[in-house]
Amino acid sequence: MKINCTLLTGVLMMAMTALTAHAAEERIASPDGKIVVTISDADGRASYQVVRDGVTFIEQSPLGLLLNSDDLTQGLTLSKVESKSIDVDYHLATIKQLHVSHQATEAVCRFQKRDRHVMDIIFHVSNRDVAYRYQIYPNKETLVAVIRSEASSFVLPEGTTTFLCPQSKPMGGFARTSPSYETSYTLDEPTGKNGWGEGYTFPCLFKTGDKGWVLLSETGTDGNYVGCRLLNAGGSKYQIGFPQAGEMNGIGSTTPAISLPFATPWRTITIGSLSDVVETTIAWDVVKPKYAASQLYNFGKGSWSWIIKMDPSCNFDEQQRYIDFSAAMGWRSVLVDALWDTQIGYERMAELARYAKSKGVGLFLWYNSNGNWNDAPQGPRGKMDKSAARRKEMAWMQKNGILGIKVDFFGGDKQAMMQLYEDILTDANDFGIQVIFHGCTLPRGWERMYPNYVASEAVLASENLHFGQGACDAEAFNGCIHPFIRNTVGSMDFGGSTLNKRYSADNQHGTTRRTSDVYALATAVLFQSSVQHFAMAPNNLDDAPAWAVDFMKQVPTTWEEVRFIDGYPGKYVILARRAGFKWFVVGINAQQQPVKTTLQLSMFDAKKPLTVYSDDAQLQGSMKSVKQNKKQQLAITIPQNGGIVITQ
């Protein structure tokens, strides 16, 4: 029997054309109609596209999940899309904006396979953000599954440039503690690279030519999933990646095991201007609290000896001196860092806590997270990795009035490690203890999910300024990155704002600070965290300018509003924050040339003078009272490594 190949080819082409012609395609618009997400099931594969004001920011990009029980990346049919308008309204003191109120379109896109409803892809589309997640359903035989991979991708337009933080390989660095999410950003790079071979740490920023910006991240991750990274999949295509096999000393799976039905964390996309990026609240808009606060948690400022004086300072006498310093500054707390268990001891720590209480000051205590995932030797060890030991320790803390803990040296993003974060937070809330994480992953909506969560490091933070002059030389460059990327989606425990000239106990030796005192004041506002342990030292009461010390006594750590004013990642940044009725306009500059601009300051009372902290060309700072002109404009100059602070 002979087969007419030409006829067969024609039939196949007609069949393919018919399938394509019958592909479902639905559009979801933001409340203002400017953002349009298009969902498709062409060729049996789910995909989406994102357009704002007629400009494509995300090209057609794959969606779907590969399970050990089913392949939800192909053979799919979009059967229905149900959309509704929703109002998001909540108060949260620990993020950049106290009261969040916005509207969004929520669309549930139902997908079938073999005539069975297998998956929803839920989209949340607001006027500057798109978020999506998967809802997976069981069948008669399958109630549990393993997600082997996500097809979730983001195809950026041609000519996009990147502003990314490379993911480090596991079990490297100090005491085999990487990845600790403390690597340097690469800025203004073309697409097509994959960091150091392991992709990138969220959040990830992209510039789409002169059209605008795209910020990619994830939120809602808890102990039921893994923390993800972004992998380059060729050219301008980026895909969700699961943890590296070597994380946690090679222990545990890189894939999440789930119980069905199951909803994954959210993938988030912020689109538009740098204002949209800096001011977005999408990380918290789509998540919910996981438990009620066991008490009313308060926030504020504190001191921290380790950043200037290192391990030897964690002794009783020096911590008592820092308690007196915090009391003199009117600050809330002192962070007692590593090795306190051996260099102070539990009995004397209880005595120190009583002394602090007599001065109106509370204590945060450092802990090692370790179990068996790295070689970090600092103590206390073996107190946070198991529930019985952890709860016994926390009961001791509660008895002695300890405010919070700083837990360090985590082991990666596998599901077991994400569960440890959640377990620490949940147990700590039972005992009224606030939690800061260091040597850790990015927080993913945790301020709203866990009411006793305060902040995470997950950034090349202030300790590096002590360890190397190169970090001091690049301080302003890095400072001009964080408000645009890392700090946009989660509280950042940086631990900076020193007024020492040198990073040493006597302020005469060690690495040299290149930035000005006004820069230090500005970053106290720029870097958002509801609890701040600043790098100031008791000697600053005598050797730092009185106007700088007075400002640091008064600067808030919780904010009601943020407004981006001007800037560019790695070059300079100017933004405003409001606490109550008081506005702070601050800026820093990393460029060799000064930033010279005129600011419109309509947020201030036009009838009252402004208080302006500024630097001259030699980085000599001063505080002046300045009258506004009739248009409420002010011309400013910010030199390299300098800052500006304007308040009233």
Side-chain angles (χ1 to χ4, degrees):
M1 176 179 168
K2 294 183 179 180
I3 298 176
N4 188 322
C5 294
T6 303
L7 178 60
L8 178 60
T9 301
V11 171
L12 289 173
M13 290 182 65
M14 289 175 63
M16 291 174 65
T17 301
L19 284 171
T20 303
H22 287 90
E25 189 174 271
E26 297 284 346
R27 289 174 174 79
I28 307 160
S30 60
D32 64 4
K34 293 184 177 181
I35 294 179
V36 176
V37 179
T38 302
I39 313 300
S40 173
D41 66 358
D43 301 320
R45 298 178 183 272
S47 65
Y48 75 109
Q49 179 191 53
V50 182
V51 173
R52 179 169 179 169
D53 290 328
V55 176
T56 301
F57 282 84
I58 302 292
E59 305 278 1
Q60 206 72 35
S61 301
L63 296 166
L65 303 169
L66 177 62
L67 312 182
N68 65 342
S69 57
D70 203 353
D71 185 351
L72 302 184
T73 68
Q74 59 183 341
L76 300 172
T77 301
L78 178 59
S79 60
K80 183 187 294 186
V81 175
E82 297 178 343
S83 298
K84 64 180 180 180
S85 298
I86 61 172
D87 291 318
V88 178
D89 193 278
Y90 59 93
H91 284 77
L92 195 56
T94 50
I95 63 170
K96 66 182 81 171
Q97 185 170 325
L98 176 63
H99 179 209
V100 177
S101 180
H102 79 261
Q103 291 72 47
T105 303
E106 182 182 271
V108 179
C109 306
R110 302 195 181 279
F111 284 87
Q112 290 185 324
K113 184 174 182 179
R114 297 184 294 271
D115 297 324
R116 183 175 69 84
H117 179 205
V118 293
M119 175 178 66
D120 296 335
I121 305 179
I122 303 167
F123 278 86
H124 176 106
V125 184
S126 69
N127 291 341
R128 64 185 171 202
D129 306 288
V130 174
Y132 68 85
R133 69 173 177 180
Y134 304 95
Q135 176 81 34
I136 316 164
Y137 295 97
N139 59 34
K140 293 180 180 179
E141 297 81 23
T142 306
L143 296 179
V144 297
V146 172
I147 300 179
R148 290 178 173 168
S149 63
E150 289 194 24
S152 313
S153 298
F154 314 87
V155 180
L156 284 304
E158 189 78 21
T160 294
T161 52
T162 69
F163 300 72
L164 302 174
C165 181
Q167 180 100 338
S168 56
K169 294 182 182 298
M171 304 303 290
F174 170 74
R176 299 197 298 164
T177 55
S178 67
S180 50
Y181 314 94
E182 300 173 30
T183 58
S184 298
Y185 284 82
T186 58
L187 306 184
D188 286 302
E189 292 277 339
T191 58
K193 299 181 180 181
N194 200 35
W196 301 339
E198 306 299 337
Y200 300 98
T201 299
F202 283 122
C204 299
L205 182 64
F206 300 86
K207 186 174 186 287
T208 57
D210 61 354
K211 304 299 184 183
W213 299 78
V214 176
L215 182 76
L216 304 179
S217 195
E218 65 178 4
T219 191
T221 308
D222 59 15
N224 293 311
Y225 213 71
V226 296
C228 295
R229 54 196 163 122
L230 196 65
L231 301 175
N232 182 265
S236 61
K237 180 182 179 182
Y238 293 83
Q239 185 170 348
I240 292 293
F242 285 168
Q244 304 166 73
E247 293 176 19
M248 287 186 67
N249 205 12
I251 303 164
S253 173
T254 62
T255 55
I258 61 172
S259 176
L260 300 174
F262 181 79
T264 68
W266 294 87
R267 311 290 162 222
T268 66
I269 310 167
T270 300
I271 300 167
S273 66
L274 282 176
S275 293
D276 293 310
V277 169
V278 171
E279 297 172 16
T280 182
T281 55
I282 190 62
W284 308 283
D285 296 342
V286 292
V287 301
K288 303 291 185 184
K290 298 203 70 173
Y291 51 73
S294 64
Q295 63 177 51
L296 177 63
Y297 290 106
N298 296 310
F299 314 99
K301 302 178 286 293
S303 62
W304 176 40
S305 70
W306 186 88
I307 182 60
I308 298 294
K309 304 180 181 182
M310 297 280 111
D311 291 346
S313 70
C314 291
N315 63 73
F316 185 92
D317 292 342
E318 191 63 23
Q319 295 310 305
Q320 191 174 60
R321 186 176 176 223
Y322 267 78
I323 290 169
D324 292 340
F325 173 52
S326 279
M329 294 292 291
W331 289 353
R332 173 175 176 259
S333 63
V334 170
L335 168 62
V336 186
D337 219 284
L339 305 174
W340 64 264
D341 57 328
T342 53
Q343 295 179 180
I344 298 175
Y346 280 79
E347 186 175 334
R348 296 218 74 193
M349 181 56 73
E351 180 185 345
L352 195 67
R354 290 192 295 271
Y355 179 79
K357 184 177 181 180
S358 74
K359 296 287 185 175
V361 175
L363 300 181
F364 276 70
L365 301 183
W366 186 95
Y367 282 85
N368 194 327
S369 81
N370 250 347
N372 49 14
W373 32 86
N374 56 52
D375 301 318
Q378 292 89 339
R381 300 179 76 241
K383 303 289 188 180
M384 289 293 134
D385 60 309
K386 297 290 192 299
S387 179
R390 183 168 58 239
R391 293 183 68 84
K392 180 179 178 181
E393 192 78 0
M394 290 175 174
W396 173 84
M397 291 184 229
Q398 185 182 52
K399 177 182 177 181
N400 288 283
I402 303 302
L403 292 179
I405 54 177
K406 170 184 169 182
V407 189
D408 208 341
F409 300 131
F410 287 84
D413 284 333
K414 292 180 179 177
Q415 189 171 11
M417 191 56 60
M418 306 310 289
Q419 186 64 61
L420 179 63
Y421 286 113
E422 184 166 17
D423 289 346
I424 291 172
L425 286 160
T426 304
D427 284 348
N429 182 63
D430 287 347
F431 295 94
I433 294 168
Q434 294 177 309
V435 181
I436 299 170
F437 293 125
H438 264 235
C440 60
T441 194
L442 179 78
R444 294 160 165 89
W446 293 352
E447 293 91 339
R448 193 173 182 204
M449 294 163 66
Y450 308 105
N452 57 321
Y453 169 79
V454 174
S456 296
E457 185 182 26
V459 72
L460 201 62
S462 62
E463 63 197 46
N464 297 280
L465 303 171
H466 189 119
F467 293 144
Q469 188 58 46
C472 288
D473 296 344
E475 182 181 5
F477 168 74
N478 287 313
C480 290
I481 297 172
H482 305 321
F484 296 104
I485 307 178
R486 164 63 182 88
N487 214 182
T488 60
V489 298
S491 300
M492 183 178 75
D493 193 61
F494 189 85
S497 295
T498 186
L499 294 177
N500 264 28
K501 300 299 182 184
R502 307 288 289 271
Y503 282 88
S504 63
D506 62 4
N507 205 9
Q508 299 296 319
H509 302 86
T511 54
T512 301
R513 179 164 59 98
R514 300 299 189 198
T515 55
S516 71
D517 290 338
V518 180
Y519 175 99
L521 308 191
T523 54
V525 176
L526 277 175
F527 298 163
Q528 182 271 318
S529 177
S530 60
V531 172
Q532 295 261 26
H533 289 109
F534 293 121
M536 288 178 63
N539 53 274
N540 294 150
L541 292 172
D542 301 316
D543 61 18
W547 50 264
V549 173
D550 289 343
F551 179 89
M552 293 301 294
K553 288 179 179 179
Q554 302 298 324
V555 65
T557 63
T558 55
W559 305 99
E560 296 187 27
E561 188 176 352
V562 60
R563 291 185 195 173
F564 173 72
I565 296 175
D566 198 6
Y568 191 91
K571 295 182 178 180
Y572 71 103
V573 58
I574 304 171
L575 61 75
R577 294 193 194 274
R578 178 174 62 85
F581 295 104
K582 191 176 181 69
W583 280 97
F584 294 77
V585 175
V586 299
I588 58 174
N589 177 33
Q591 303 169 104
Q592 187 172 358
Q593 68 273 24
V595 170
K596 296 183 177 182
T597 189
T598 298
L599 301 179
Q600 180 66 51
L601 301 174
S602 56
M603 69 280 291
F604 294 114
D605 187 336
K607 298 177 182 179
K608 297 180 179 179
L610 302 171
T611 300
V612 179
Y613 304 81
S614 60
D615 290 311
D616 63 18
Q618 288 72 45
L619 297 184
Q620 296 300 308
S622 64
M623 179 187 75
K624 298 177 181 178
S625 180
V626 178
K627 291 183 178 181
Q628 304 177 64
N629 65 21
K630 293 180 180 180
K631 295 182 179 180
Q632 286 193 270
Q633 295 175 332
L634 183 68
I636 64 165
T637 299
I638 311 175
Q640 185 181 29
N641 293 325
I644 189 80
V645 176
I646 305 168
T647 189
Q648 195 174 60

